[in-house]
Amino acid sequence: MSHENLDPRSLLDEHWERLQFFAFTLLDDKDLASDAVADVFIRILKHENSLAEVRNIQQYLYGAVRNSCYNVLRKKLVPASLADPAALEELSAVEEKWAAEHEQNVIRAEMREMLATLIRTLPAQQQEIICRRYFNNEKILEIADKMGLSEYQVRTYGEKAINQMKINALKADSWQGLLLVVLLQDLMR
Amino acid sequence: MLDETRIAKLLVKLVCRDLTDEGRVELDSWRAASAQNEVFLQMVTSDASIIDDLKVFMGMNKASLLAKIDAGVLENRSFSEPEALPVPLYRPSIRRLKPYLWGAAAVVLVCLILTYLLKAPGKEDQTAMTPAGGPTDPFYSRNAPDSGSVRLTLGDGATRYLDSMKDGVVARQGNMQASVAEDGKLLEYVTTSAGQTSSAVYNILTVPYGARFKLLLSDGTKVKLNVGSSIKYPVAFTGDKRVVEVTGEVFFDVAPDSHHPFIVRAHKEEVEVLGTNFVVSDYPGEKQAKVAVGSGLVRVRNGGGSAQIRSSQGVNIGEGGEIRVDPNMDLSSMLALKEEYFNFDGLDQKEALTKLAESYHMRILFDDKIKNSPFGSGNIQRDLPIKRLLRDLELPDLHFEVRMQENTIVVTR
């Protein structure tokens, strides 16, 4: 038995983002992706899918979402009334592809989540600086102006943020996280 | 850890095309060490096509996902097919490493992060993360309990299968202890001295078709669940009212307590009592709900209005909301939970068997040769396990095979 928290609402809070991203990498449609994730949780909430005997909840959820993506796609491609052989063939090809690439897709979602988590743990002000500096490519002066800070403060808080993310990655024993932070810092310098 | 920091630095050099031959050898041996390393390396160094995907993804937010889930739970709707296919077992196939796409790596990474940041740090999104009105209660979804086991769902979502348990303690929640007794036919809640007072912890007891179960609540109220029924209740009653929710057919013998009225909520109606015994029958999919009172006085309320019912009276509650006294109701069999037959009058063989399978939440497959003949006798006992029930229905030209693992009944000639 797992000691993880199996309350569906907490699971949803914890995993929705990675799962939705994962579904999106499969379906390439944000609305269908959220349909697929919604379905998994509807089943869980209605107790159709019991979590009691699941060993690895995260692995289970990724599998369930992939399944759900398949059903969503099947519903879209093959209307119940007519079973078009071409569509069915396409569907089974997609299924094979998803199965083959499952691990890569999971890692991709996990990587994204890892970095997101590192950024999320920063104080709001540092988050904003990182966002503006590294992703909007705003200049230090611009940021200082917009946020009502001095240039020196922006620089210092930015460095603090990067350092904090590194420390957090190390604390979490996550070399992948550390790598992502170092890459982030180096590539955008 | 030192080792990992070193690998991280090597990887950075790799991505920045700054890797020495020595470093490359070191990195190669790390890469070969595990499939996960290989995949990770591939992730950071290749596949630029995700950039566009990620941009589309930026518009995602949690609020709309929650809305879909709540709607799905409430309206019993699914966004995909009703049956989930099993996940096929997969063997991860690690492809051969492509030549590294140096420039692309940087762009991928930036976009990866960009996706997150463009939507994450915003305060409005943070607030959207918590559902405004509290969690939607899945309890009223009009689904009969699934076939198979008597299930107890605990406050933390964990499940206990009671019919496979011996008498004894099945769960402790705060200072409340739940035990199975009477040879696996009764679940009872008692207060223990250990642990904190349990407040607002709800349990759900679900009884499938083919089984019945008894429950003794913490206030002493006795409950009997008929086939295909369920009840949600707090492990300890703390407020000024005692409120439980039910589906299916449930008998109550309420422990008298004039300061804490006992309220039973069902899909179509709500029943309030002080201390009395009565039955609420409200099966999913049936047009009418019924309430029958053995003794005392109860008040039945629904969207339309309310009515008082005296002892030895029964009422029907229609879907339209009207509450009507039914002078013909067989109260004694109602109160003894004796409504024990499926009613298949007027259905042909396939229709009847399909309906039967539905109530056990199983799929049914028919051999092509099955003829659509009338089903014959209309009464079939509701409280039998499916295998036993089907054995009684076997005919010289009608055979059943129950595949429990696939949850399927196969009908052949």
Side-chain angles (χ1 to χ4, degrees), chain A residues 109-124:
Chain A
E110 282 300 298
M111 247 173 76
R112 184 188 166 283
E113 184 67 23
M114 198 183 290
L115 197 58
T117 308
L118 284 172
I119 294 170
R120 216 179 282 141
T121 51
L122 296 172

Side-chain angles (χ1 to χ4, degrees), chain B residues 133-147:
Chain B
T136 306
D137 196 327
F139 192 69
Y140 284 128
S141 62
R142 303 301 289 155
N143 253 6
D146 57 5
S147 63

